[in-house]
């Protein structure tokens, strides 16, 4: 054991090093955390923050860890050494998830939607296509829908419906126009990070991917300008300005030499996420 009490082992040279966690315990997609947290926070602000949002965020993050572990387990042909994190994270998410459903049974109406998205993503993992455009779009879409889910749990939402079927089939939050507007704005940004990051890492130098990234961001800017003309206010103007900045970034950064480091890319994404979140909250306020 090390001085801190963590397990260690001795190498052939006699040096002691800390034992690394087994496979599947630590997600490698560090940039996903902002994509997971921001929609829940925005949805909570849109509808009025309650204690249920803290529980929802905890369950959502644990479910993500279980999903990531399960995807890696499937990708590894279901080898036994990849199973422990699936079991641990799954059980960890189960009990608070049951508490959340007990407090807001209408959440079960979202089960078919998220179940379908989960099935597609796990199928991609099983086929080792977890880096595909389809899987990226599905995972981003699922994360963005949490904006509407969180809105349904707020002080202006409908979390206490008598059951998932008796009142209506409409899931909580799905009838809130402001929640959908925030979802669309966030989705516009986070979906754009898929081709943008590919132009800097795995598809670096590929002109087709660069064209897709630039074209997508140009389309988002056009949509933002249309919304600004239709509803001119500080929030929509801010979204248009941010969209223009993201388009400039998509054009300029992939052409820079030397290539930006992974750390620089990550810091840039953090800064962009903060700016986009602020603009979205201003727009739906």
């Amino acid at each position: 054991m090390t001085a801190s009490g963590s397990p260690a082992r001795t190498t052939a040279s006699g040096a002691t090093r800390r034992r690394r966690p087994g496979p599947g315990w630590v997600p490698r997609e560090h940039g996903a955390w902002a994509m997971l947290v921001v929609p829940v926070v925005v949805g909570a602000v849109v509808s009025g923050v309650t204690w249920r949002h803290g529980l929802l965020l905890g369950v959502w993050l644990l479910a993500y860890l279980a999903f990531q572990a399960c995807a890696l387990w499937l990708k590894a042909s279901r080898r036994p050494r990849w199973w422990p994190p699936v079991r641990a994270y799954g059980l960890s998410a189960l009990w608070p998830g049951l508490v959340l459903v007990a407090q807001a049974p209408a959440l079960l109406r979202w089960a078919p939607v998220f179940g379908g998205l989960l099935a597609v993503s796990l199928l991609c993992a099983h086929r080792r296509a977890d880096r595909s455009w389809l899987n990226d779009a599905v995972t981003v879409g699922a994360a963005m829908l949490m904006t509407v889910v969180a809105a349904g749990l707020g002080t202006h939402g409908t979390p206490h419906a008598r059951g998932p079927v008796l009142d209506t089939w409409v899931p909580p939050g799905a009838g809130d126009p402001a929640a959908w507007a925030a979802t669309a704005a966030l989705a516009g940004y986070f979906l754009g990070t898929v081709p943008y990051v590919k132009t800097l890492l795995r598809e670096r130098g590929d002109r087709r991917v660069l064209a897709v990234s630039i074209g997508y961001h140009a389309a988002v800017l056009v949509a933002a300008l249309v919304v600004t003309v239709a509803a001119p206010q500080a929030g929509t103007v801010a979204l248009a300005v941010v969209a223009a900045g993201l388009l400039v970034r998509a054009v300029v950064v992939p052409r820079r030499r030397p290539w930006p480091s992974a750390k620089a890319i990550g810091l840039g994404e953090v800064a962009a996420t903060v700016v986009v979140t602020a603009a979205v909250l201003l727009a739906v306020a």
Side-chain angles (χ1 to χ4, degrees):
M1 300 289 286
T2 62
S4 61
S6 58
R9 60 181 179 181
T10 303
T11 63
S13 61
T16 301
R17 65 180 182 181
R18 191 181 303 273
R19 188 184 299 275
R20 294 181 179 179
W25 289 100
V26 181
R28 297 179 180 178
E29 301 294 337
H30 302 296
W33 295 107
M35 187 178 70
L36 295 169
V37 173
V38 167
V40 176
V41 172
V42 171
V45 173
V46 166
S47 66
V49 180
T50 72
W51 66 270
R52 288 185 293 269
H53 289 118
L55 182 57
L56 174 67
L57 181 59
V59 172
W60 178 236
L61 294 179
L62 287 171
Y64 167 72
L65 291 172
F67 159 74
Q68 279 290 95
C70 188
L72 291 173
W73 174 65
L74 290 173
K75 187 177 179 180
S77 301
R78 293 175 288 183
R79 294 174 185 169
R81 64 191 298 260
W82 292 81
W83 176 250
V86 179
R87 179 180 58 228
Y89 288 135
L91 291 175
S92 297
L94 176 62
W95 300 111
L98 291 175
V99 174
L100 180 62
V101 170
Q103 291 294 321
L107 283 176
L108 291 176
R109 297 174 193 152
W110 283 108
V113 177
F114 282 91
L117 295 173
L118 176 63
V120 172
S121 189
L122 291 180
L123 180 61
C124 288
H126 177 67
R127 294 182 174 180
R128 299 189 177 184
D130 52 312
R131 302 292 185 182
S132 65
W133 291 82
L134 172 62
N135 189 56
D136 288 342
V138 167
T139 52
V140 172
M144 296 307 101
L145 276 178
M146 289 301 293
T147 310
V148 185
V149 175
L153 295 183
T155 55
H156 304 299
T158 56
H160 292 300
R162 289 177 295 171
V165 178
L166 295 179
D167 295 337
T168 176
W169 280 101
V170 178
D176 189 340
W180 283 112
T183 300
L186 290 176
Y189 164 64
F190 281 107
L191 284 172
T193 64
V194 174
Y196 170 69
V197 172
K198 286 183 183 293
T199 64
L200 301 178
L201 295 175
R202 290 179 175 82
E203 307 294 340
R204 188 166 60 185
D206 190 320
R207 293 180 179 272
R208 294 172 299 178
V209 177
L210 179 61
V212 169
S213 178
I214 294 175
Y216 175 86
H217 284 90
V220 169
L221 175 57
V222 171
L225 290 174
V226 170
V227 172
T228 302
V229 172
Q233 55 171 295
T236 55
V237 171
L239 286 176
V241 171
V242 170
L246 293 174
L247 174 59
V248 171
R249 185 183 71 159
V251 173
V252 173
V253 176
R255 300 176 187 272
R256 288 188 56 192
R257 299 297 184 276
W259 299 100
S261 65
K263 180 179 180 181
I265 296 171
L267 291 175
E269 286 305 304
V270 170
T273 300
V274 171
V275 172
V276 169
T277 302
V280 171
L281 289 176
L282 180 62
V284 301

